[in-house]
Amino acid sequence: MRKQLLATALCLAATATGCGATVEQAQDAKPSSSVTLTNCGRQVTYDKVPERVVTNDVGITELMFALGLEDRMAGFAMPDDKGDLRDVPWKDGYDKVKWLSKDQLTKENVLDARADLVFAGWNYGFREDGGFTPDGLKKLGIASYILTESCHNGRGKSARGIMPPLDALYADLTNLGRLFGVHKRAAALIAGFKKQIADVRAKAPQGSGRPSVFLYDSGQDTPFTAGRYAAPEQIITEAGGVNVMHDLADSWTTVGWESVVQRNPDVIVICDYGDVSAEQKKKFLLSYPPLRNVAAVAHRRIISLDYADLVESPRNPSAIARLGAYLRTVPAGR
């Protein structure tokens, strides 16, 4: 089912006339010599079309692949704990583009790759502590583009997110489409994603019938979760649920278990990645005494989605479809 949904999403987005048609080439229009984009609230001008892009992490890398931009890439960095890559529609991108690091990008591997643009995000590669920042790269003559989900928002030292998550996805696809001259491909992807999401929304529970959902990423002493600017916010909402951490004006952040108990979610979504498996995370949640009376735990309503489903990526629409199908099984009144 996962493979079928992902393939359907790509098929919807790739052409306006269906899967039987020929997919347009990446260069669907010749871009101008310079392009000015709005990225994280700032106007950024790119003097030329990048030819050796390096990306950090799976969602960012797959945005490039979904736009057919493998030939514009010099490599990517990604831990190898981000799920099975064999069934994604853009598997060929992983076969074609060099895997630079199974950690994250550094100035050294960016320079070694002779990169002319780094596409990363705050906490998705860019980081102040190691000096790997857009400003630092600019001093090396290397341009940057920041993932919109990760934009700093001024609400705290590390708070991120400036717009609804799906708007962030569409903004990045639109910007990349303009920068690389593939705006038709970007528009087709966005239209296909919106249609897929609208189909799920039409079947979703309404009003008081919408189950409440807590996103559990990791952590035992304190859980790491998603506020209203991280992709799970709209994945949950469009699927027919309510994110219990909607009031957090941040993307990915830490909360206290007491707030989870107080909000009593009907469903828990586990983010599946890392050294701790989804099954181990589920076992912890079911055995953790403070959660004993939380509805999701008491009724064992726990579902796992891959990391790449839950960060800004072209997998978001298929994640909405899968979570939507699950939420429709939650009994009314719970």
Side-chain angles (χ1 to χ4, degrees):
M1 177 61 77
R2 173 173 175 244
K3 183 175 181 179
Q4 180 181 357
L5 285 166
L6 283 164
T8 300
L10 185 66
C11 183
L12 282 168
T15 74
T17 55
C19 285
T22 301
V23 177
E24 62 184 327
Q25 296 299 310
Q27 270 78 31
D28 59 36
K30 186 175 181 180
S32 60
S33 57
S34 67
V35 176
T36 299
L37 305 175
T38 301
N39 183 211
C40 289
R42 297 173 58 190
Q43 296 290 299
V44 183
T45 298
Y46 300 87
D47 294 329
K48 65 182 183 67
V49 182
E51 297 179 349
R52 296 190 61 80
V53 182
V54 294
T55 57
N56 193 95
D57 213 13
V58 58
I60 293 169
T61 301
E62 290 183 3
L63 286 173
M64 293 290 290
F65 292 166
L67 287 167
L69 295 171
E70 298 93 328
D71 291 344
R72 295 282 185 176
M73 296 180 65
F76 62 88
M78 182 197 310
D80 57 5
D81 63 357
K82 298 299 173 63
D84 190 344
L85 304 177
R86 292 172 297 179
D87 289 340
V88 298
W90 32 88
K91 175 186 177 295
D92 288 349
Y94 287 109
D95 293 336
K96 292 177 182 177
V97 181
K98 186 176 182 180
W99 199 327
L100 299 174
S101 170
K102 293 189 176 181
D103 186 10
Q104 58 185 344
L105 291 177
T106 64
K107 289 179 182 178
E108 290 73 24
N109 56 33
V110 166
L111 289 169
D112 286 346
R114 296 182 289 113
D116 57 3
L117 183 135
V118 173
F119 179 15
W122 293 109
N123 286 23
Y124 299 101
F126 291 136
R127 51 202 182 274
E128 296 284 2
D129 57 355
F132 191 80
T133 66
D135 287 343
L137 291 169
K138 186 176 182 180
K139 293 176 183 177
L140 299 174
I142 302 171
S144 300
Y145 184 86
I146 303 170
L147 184 77
T148 297
E149 183 191 55
S150 77
C151 297
H152 285 142
N153 62 28
R155 294 180 179 86
K157 186 177 180 181
S158 61
R160 295 174 294 159
I162 59 173
M163 64 179 71
L166 289 175
D167 289 353
L169 173 65
Y170 303 150
D172 287 335
L173 287 170
T174 300
N175 277 343
L176 294 170
R178 287 188 57 209
L179 178 59
F180 291 98
V182 293
H183 57 278
K184 291 181 181 178
R185 176 89 182 227
L189 279 169
I190 293 168
F193 290 162
K194 287 183 175 180
K195 182 182 185 306
Q196 186 179 14
I197 292 166
D199 290 345
V200 178
R201 188 189 307 123
K203 303 172 188 173
Q206 301 298 319
S208 60
R210 297 169 68 86
S212 59
V213 181
F214 172 66
L215 187 286
Y216 177 61
D217 177 286
S218 57
Q220 295 193 357
D221 294 335
T222 55
F224 197 61
T225 188
R228 69 172 174 266
Y229 293 124
E233 164 74 11
Q234 279 190 293
I235 291 172
I236 292 167
T237 302
E238 298 289 7
V242 178
N243 178 15
V244 296
M245 297 299 170
H246 170 78
D247 58 311
L248 296 178
D250 202 345
S251 59
W252 296 88
T253 190
T254 300
V255 298
W257 282 117
E258 62 277 6
S259 65
V260 180
V261 173
Q262 182 181 25
R263 297 170 195 215
N264 192 24
D266 300 305
V267 174
I268 294 175
V269 174
I270 290 174
C271 183
D272 186 8
Y273 77 104
D275 295 333
V276 182
S277 70
E279 189 58 36
Q280 289 172 313
K281 291 178 183 179
K282 181 177 179 179
K283 187 176 295 186
F284 164 71
L285 293 169
L286 292 174
S287 63
Y288 188 51
L291 298 179
R292 184 182 300 112
N293 296 320
V294 167
V297 172
H299 297 285
R300 303 178 74 90
R301 289 194 290 257
I302 300 174
I303 179 176
S304 298
L305 293 175
D306 285 348
Y307 170 91
D309 295 324
L310 295 167
V311 295
E312 183 193 322
S313 82
R315 298 197 206 186
N316 296 158
S318 65
I320 290 169
R322 279 175 284 128
L323 181 58
Y326 181 85
L327 294 183
R328 291 194 295 274
T329 70
V330 177
R334 294 168 292 282

